[in-house]
Amino acid sequence: MAKLSVSNVDVKGKRVFMRVDYNVPMEEKDGQMVVTDVTRIKETLPTLDLLVKAGAKIILTAHLGRPKGKKEPTMSLRPVAAKLAEMLGAPVNFVDDCIGEKVEQAVAAMQPGQVVLLENVRFYAEEEANDPAFSEKMAKVADIYVNDAFGSAHRAHASTEGVARVVAKRGGQCAAGLLMERELKFLGDELEKPARPFVVILGGAKVSDKIKVIDRLLEKADALLIGGAMAYTFRLAQGYKTGKSLVEADKIDIAKSALEKAKAKGVKFLLPVDDVVATPVKTDKLDKKGKPIIDFQNPRVSSDMNCPDDAAGLDIGPATVKAYSDVIANAKTVLWNGPMGLFENKNFAAGTNAVAKAAVDATQKGAKSIIGGGDSVKAINKAGLGDKVTFMSTGGGASLEFLEGIPLPGVVALSDK
Ligand code: 3PG
Ligand code: MG
């Protein structure tokens, strides 16, 4: 069902309560938290521009991190307000709460076209619990609800779902923002009847994370190209040795059934024919989570489908790169989700970078390229190719669930057209 667009709502002088996904990466620098990637903020600017020009009073609400119902100073949205003001070229009034008197007073003082950003909604446990009384409290300052937080739309939380219900019950309008609309268009409508060949590239660590997407896309795609650690679970399913590669030994059956379904449907299902492998060695250094950092020694190309006993597969090899690039070159629609290897380490980034380049080359020849969020977006940005694809999603988990065909609660709650 098509949803009401913010561009079709009369917002003049109205209080527009807008959920955004400003769950952006942050880092501490000289005792201050700073935003390290502004993509999610930037992508909401078209909706904000529209609302400012139309004379709405804009009340922004968002979450940051997972503070689990506690006030966690490192997860305050204050630095985001500063960044947004800079990008918007207009003041953004930060309120250090998301419900109550402070919020009501700040909103009462607003002029049309002004912007307020409320503090992290997840400082209250009621947010994730989707508590109806909490939604009522937030909705006190809402005449109209707008959701531009595609990245959070898979969560049925108070600010993503509950407030919309309250506003709708009062007879108010609940609309999709322009970012939300773009996401639904590219990850939804465009993939319903894709121009063919439709080539899907899936990577990442776990088959179990992607199996529902694989299953659904086998109904639509002409070719599926598999990379990342999940390729090794397929190798295991085919009876090869996987050495120290990351595998899900208990997921062999789902790998097998995906292979069978691909065959039955006549979908090209490509698995790596060679790998970049290395020998993992535990160091005595610890990562942020307190786990020993692994040093990957002696990186090398292996053309043996059996992984050496002492080694782990960490990237697709050059023959696979060539095979995948050839398929992508002929595509009219490319969908990519998940890196081909451990791309954060330059020894294992070649496969992911090559796929990014192949997607860009195809785009330049007229194909539509859609990058399904999360790590693939990080990788394509790292390769400096972010502006050369047709669309990059701002969602991680939300993109995946949407591609699986699961209705997103944050979208479902919006008014129909
Ligand atoms: C995300 O970054 O995936 C979204 O902002 C949702 O965050 P969450 O996974 O903590 O719900
Ligand atoms: Mg997430």
mmCIF file of all heavy atoms in Angstrom, residues 19 21-24 40 63-66 122 128 150-155 157 394-398, ligand 1:
data_model
loop_
_atom_site.group_PDB
_atom_site.id
_atom_site.type_symbol
_atom_site.label_atom_id
_atom_site.label_comp_id
_atom_site.label_asym_id
_atom_site.label_seq_id
_atom_site.Cartn_x
_atom_site.Cartn_y
_atom_site.Cartn_z
ATOM 1 N N ARG A 19 10.604 11.714 13.001
ATOM 2 C CA ARG A 19 11.603 10.739 13.440
ATOM 3 C C ARG A 19 12.675 10.628 12.367
ATOM 4 O O ARG A 19 12.368 10.414 11.187
ATOM 5 C CB ARG A 19 10.931 9.366 13.662
ATOM 6 C CG ARG A 19 11.881 8.220 14.083
ATOM 7 C CD ARG A 19 12.612 8.518 15.370
ATOM 8 N NE ARG A 19 13.046 7.330 16.107
ATOM 9 C CZ ARG A 19 14.290 6.811 16.058
ATOM 10 N NH1 ARG A 19 15.218 7.340 15.297
ATOM 11 N NH2 ARG A 19 14.583 5.760 16.810
ATOM 12 N N ASP A 21 16.837 9.007 11.555
ATOM 13 C CA ASP A 21 17.842 8.058 12.047
ATOM 14 C C ASP A 21 19.191 8.770 12.069
ATOM 15 O O ASP A 21 19.901 8.820 11.072
ATOM 16 C CB ASP A 21 17.895 6.809 11.153
ATOM 17 C CG ASP A 21 18.756 5.728 11.789
ATOM 18 O OD1 ASP A 21 19.624 6.083 12.625
ATOM 19 O OD2 ASP A 21 18.584 4.539 11.466
ATOM 20 N N TYR A 22 19.474 9.379 13.221
ATOM 21 C CA TYR A 22 20.769 10.036 13.410
ATOM 22 C C TYR A 22 21.680 9.146 14.270
ATOM 23 O O TYR A 22 22.504 9.625 15.044
ATOM 24 C CB TYR A 22 20.597 11.420 14.048
ATOM 25 C CG TYR A 22 19.994 12.471 13.118
ATOM 26 C CD1 TYR A 22 19.549 13.692 13.632
ATOM 27 C CD2 TYR A 22 19.904 12.266 11.737
ATOM 28 C CE1 TYR A 22 19.007 14.672 12.796
ATOM 29 C CE2 TYR A 22 19.356 13.241 10.897
ATOM 30 C CZ TYR A 22 18.915 14.438 11.432
ATOM 31 O OH TYR A 22 18.396 15.414 10.608
ATOM 32 N N ASN A 23 21.482 7.849 14.130
ATOM 33 C CA ASN A 23 22.357 6.891 14.812
ATOM 34 C C ASN A 23 23.647 6.800 13.996
ATOM 35 O O ASN A 23 23.863 5.861 13.243
ATOM 36 C CB ASN A 23 21.645 5.535 14.878
ATOM 37 C CG ASN A 23 22.383 4.543 15.757
ATOM 38 O OD1 ASN A 23 23.150 4.930 16.653
ATOM 39 N ND2 ASN A 23 22.187 3.263 15.502
ATOM 40 N N VAL A 24 24.460 7.837 14.144
ATOM 41 C CA VAL A 24 25.664 7.995 13.316
ATOM 42 C C VAL A 24 26.904 7.545 14.085
ATOM 43 O O VAL A 24 26.913 7.569 15.316
ATOM 44 C CB VAL A 24 25.831 9.481 12.884
ATOM 45 C CG1 VAL A 24 24.749 9.879 11.909
ATOM 46 C CG2 VAL A 24 25.822 10.421 14.095
ATOM 47 N N ARG A 40 23.918 9.904 7.219
ATOM 48 C CA ARG A 40 22.514 9.830 7.637
ATOM 49 C C ARG A 40 21.911 11.209 7.913
ATOM 50 O O ARG A 40 20.707 11.398 7.760
ATOM 51 C CB ARG A 40 22.384 8.936 8.874
ATOM 52 C CG ARG A 40 22.407 7.454 8.517
ATOM 53 C CD ARG A 40 22.288 6.590 9.750
ATOM 54 N NE ARG A 40 21.922 5.226 9.396
ATOM 55 C CZ ARG A 40 21.826 4.234 10.271
ATOM 56 N NH1 ARG A 40 22.065 4.446 11.558
ATOM 57 N NH2 ARG A 40 21.486 3.027 9.871
ATOM 58 N N HIS A 63 17.370 8.272 17.931
ATOM 59 C CA HIS A 63 18.120 7.532 18.959
ATOM 60 C C HIS A 63 19.596 7.546 18.579
ATOM 61 O O HIS A 63 19.957 7.838 17.433
ATOM 62 C CB HIS A 63 17.616 6.094 19.103
ATOM 63 C CG HIS A 63 18.103 5.165 18.025
ATOM 64 N ND1 HIS A 63 17.528 5.092 16.778
ATOM 65 C CD2 HIS A 63 19.133 4.280 18.006
ATOM 66 C CE1 HIS A 63 18.156 4.190 16.042
ATOM 67 N NE2 HIS A 63 19.146 3.683 16.755
ATOM 68 N N LEU A 64 20.431 7.242 19.536
ATOM 69 C CA LEU A 64 21.862 7.094 19.266
ATOM 70 C C LEU A 64 22.373 5.953 20.137
ATOM 71 O O LEU A 64 22.261 5.997 21.362
ATOM 72 C CB LEU A 64 22.600 8.397 19.590
ATOM 73 C CG LEU A 64 24.105 8.398 19.309
ATOM 74 C CD1 LEU A 64 24.411 8.221 17.828
ATOM 75 C CD2 LEU A 64 24.745 9.697 19.788
ATOM 76 N N GLY A 65 22.920 4.938 19.499
ATOM 77 C CA GLY A 65 23.470 3.801 20.224
ATOM 78 C C GLY A 65 22.406 3.002 20.946
ATOM 79 O O GLY A 65 21.217 3.073 20.641
ATOM 80 N N ARG A 66 22.850 2.244 21.929
ATOM 81 C CA ARG A 66 21.931 1.404 22.703
ATOM 82 C C ARG A 66 22.119 1.635 24.200
ATOM 83 O O ARG A 66 22.642 0.785 24.920
ATOM 84 C CB ARG A 66 22.153 -0.067 22.343
ATOM 85 C CG ARG A 66 21.760 -0.356 20.911
ATOM 86 C CD ARG A 66 22.007 -1.784 20.521
ATOM 87 N NE ARG A 66 21.491 -2.046 19.173
ATOM 88 C CZ ARG A 66 21.754 -3.121 18.466
ATOM 89 N NH1 ARG A 66 22.515 -4.076 18.969
ATOM 90 N NH2 ARG A 66 21.244 -3.276 17.256
ATOM 91 N N ARG A 122 16.161 6.819 23.471
ATOM 92 C CA ARG A 122 16.483 5.568 24.172
ATOM 93 C C ARG A 122 17.052 5.789 25.568
ATOM 94 O O ARG A 122 17.444 4.835 26.236
ATOM 95 C CB ARG A 122 17.434 4.707 23.333
ATOM 96 C CG ARG A 122 16.766 4.108 22.120
ATOM 97 C CD ARG A 122 17.619 3.038 21.473
ATOM 98 N NE ARG A 122 16.995 2.581 20.234
ATOM 99 C CZ ARG A 122 17.588 1.768 19.362
ATOM 100 N NH1 ARG A 122 18.825 1.338 19.594
ATOM 101 N NH2 ARG A 122 16.965 1.387 18.266
ATOM 102 N N GLU A 128 11.999 1.627 23.609
ATOM 103 C CA GLU A 128 12.096 0.318 22.965
ATOM 104 C C GLU A 128 10.933 -0.598 23.346
ATOM 105 O O GLU A 128 10.590 -1.512 22.606
ATOM 106 C CB GLU A 128 13.448 -0.336 23.274
ATOM 107 C CG GLU A 128 14.597 0.415 22.626
ATOM 108 C CD GLU A 128 15.914 -0.327 22.693
ATOM 109 O OE1 GLU A 128 15.995 -1.426 22.122
ATOM 110 O OE2 GLU A 128 16.857 0.192 23.332
ATOM 111 N N PHE A 150 14.359 5.650 7.822
ATOM 112 C CA PHE A 150 14.272 4.322 7.216
ATOM 113 C C PHE A 150 15.120 3.306 7.991
ATOM 114 O O PHE A 150 14.686 2.174 8.227
ATOM 115 C CB PHE A 150 14.731 4.358 5.750
ATOM 116 C CG PHE A 150 14.781 2.980 5.151
ATOM 117 C CD1 PHE A 150 13.613 2.344 4.772
ATOM 118 C CD2 PHE A 150 15.993 2.306 5.000
ATOM 119 C CE1 PHE A 150 13.641 1.053 4.256
ATOM 120 C CE2 PHE A 150 16.033 1.016 4.490
ATOM 121 C CZ PHE A 150 14.859 0.394 4.112
ATOM 122 N N GLY A 151 16.312 3.724 8.411
ATOM 123 C CA GLY A 151 17.241 2.817 9.100
ATOM 124 C C GLY A 151 16.712 2.253 10.402
ATOM 125 O O GLY A 151 17.242 1.269 10.927
ATOM 126 N N SER A 152 15.665 2.872 10.956
ATOM 127 C CA SER A 152 15.068 2.408 12.212
ATOM 128 C C SER A 152 13.651 1.874 12.013
ATOM 129 O O SER A 152 12.974 1.549 12.986
ATOM 130 C CB SER A 152 15.008 3.545 13.233
ATOM 131 O OG SER A 152 16.273 4.137 13.376
ATOM 132 N N ALA A 153 13.220 1.813 10.766
ATOM 133 C CA ALA A 153 11.818 1.476 10.496
ATOM 134 C C ALA A 153 11.482 0.016 10.775
ATOM 135 O O ALA A 153 10.315 -0.364 10.817
ATOM 136 C CB ALA A 153 11.457 1.831 9.056
ATOM 137 N N HIS A 154 12.519 -0.814 10.969
ATOM 138 C CA HIS A 154 12.261 -2.222 11.317
ATOM 139 C C HIS A 154 12.017 -2.378 12.816
ATOM 140 O O HIS A 154 11.752 -3.472 13.297
ATOM 141 C CB HIS A 154 13.409 -3.129 10.859
ATOM 142 C CG HIS A 154 14.771 -2.770 11.411
ATOM 143 N ND1 HIS A 154 15.200 -1.467 11.540
ATOM 144 C CD2 HIS A 154 15.788 -3.541 11.857
ATOM 145 C CE1 HIS A 154 16.424 -1.471 12.035
ATOM 146 N NE2 HIS A 154 16.798 -2.716 12.235
ATOM 147 N N ARG A 155 12.134 -1.280 13.553
ATOM 148 C CA ARG A 155 11.882 -1.317 15.008
ATOM 149 C C ARG A 155 10.467 -0.816 15.291
ATOM 150 O O ARG A 155 10.096 0.274 14.828
ATOM 151 C CB ARG A 155 12.879 -0.399 15.737
ATOM 152 C CG ARG A 155 14.345 -0.662 15.421
ATOM 153 C CD ARG A 155 14.794 -1.972 15.965
ATOM 154 N NE ARG A 155 16.204 -2.234 15.716
ATOM 155 C CZ ARG A 155 16.695 -3.453 15.508
ATOM 156 N NH1 ARG A 155 15.899 -4.508 15.512
ATOM 157 N NH2 ARG A 155 17.977 -3.624 15.315
ATOM 158 N N HIS A 157 9.151 0.727 17.836
ATOM 159 C CA HIS A 157 9.413 1.459 19.077
ATOM 160 C C HIS A 157 8.441 2.636 19.174
ATOM 161 O O HIS A 157 7.693 2.911 18.232
ATOM 162 C CB HIS A 157 10.861 1.932 19.120
ATOM 163 C CG HIS A 157 11.852 0.795 19.198
ATOM 164 N ND1 HIS A 157 13.198 0.965 19.060
ATOM 165 C CD2 HIS A 157 11.667 -0.546 19.398
ATOM 166 C CE1 HIS A 157 13.822 -0.208 19.172
ATOM 167 N NE2 HIS A 157 12.908 -1.141 19.376
ATOM 168 N N THR A 394 20.545 4.021 3.588
ATOM 169 C CA THR A 394 21.031 4.443 4.910
ATOM 170 C C THR A 394 20.707 3.376 5.959
ATOM 171 O O THR A 394 21.023 3.549 7.121
ATOM 172 C CB THR A 394 20.368 5.764 5.358
ATOM 173 O OG1 THR A 394 18.950 5.607 5.292
ATOM 174 C CG2 THR A 394 20.801 6.925 4.488
ATOM 175 N N GLY A 395 20.057 2.315 5.553
ATOM 176 C CA GLY A 395 19.668 1.272 6.503
ATOM 177 C C GLY A 395 20.684 0.151 6.575
ATOM 178 O O GLY A 395 21.395 -0.119 5.612
ATOM 179 N N GLY A 396 20.761 -0.497 7.715
ATOM 180 C CA GLY A 396 21.523 -1.734 7.878
ATOM 181 C C GLY A 396 20.520 -2.865 7.999
ATOM 182 O O GLY A 396 20.038 -3.405 7.012
ATOM 183 N N GLY A 397 20.172 -3.162 9.267
ATOM 184 C CA GLY A 397 19.167 -4.190 9.529
ATOM 185 C C GLY A 397 17.850 -3.920 8.821
ATOM 186 O O GLY A 397 17.186 -4.843 8.344
ATOM 187 N N ALA A 398 17.473 -2.637 8.716
ATOM 188 C CA ALA A 398 16.200 -2.292 8.071
ATOM 189 C C ALA A 398 16.211 -2.682 6.597
ATOM 190 O O ALA A 398 15.220 -3.213 6.085
ATOM 191 C CB ALA A 398 15.923 -0.795 8.216
HETATM 192 C C1 3PG B 1 20.934 1.106 12.872
HETATM 193 O O1 3PG B 1 21.955 1.791 12.913
HETATM 194 O O2 3PG B 1 20.941 -0.073 12.487
HETATM 195 C C2 3PG B 1 19.638 1.756 13.216
HETATM 196 O O3 3PG B 1 19.829 3.058 13.617
HETATM 197 C C3 3PG B 1 18.899 0.950 14.241
HETATM 198 O O4 3PG B 1 19.664 0.821 15.410
HETATM 199 P P1 3PG B 1 19.454 -0.433 16.354
HETATM 200 O O5 3PG B 1 19.978 -1.629 15.593
HETATM 201 O O6 3PG B 1 20.229 -0.160 17.607
HETATM 202 O O7 3PG B 1 17.984 -0.583 16.591
#
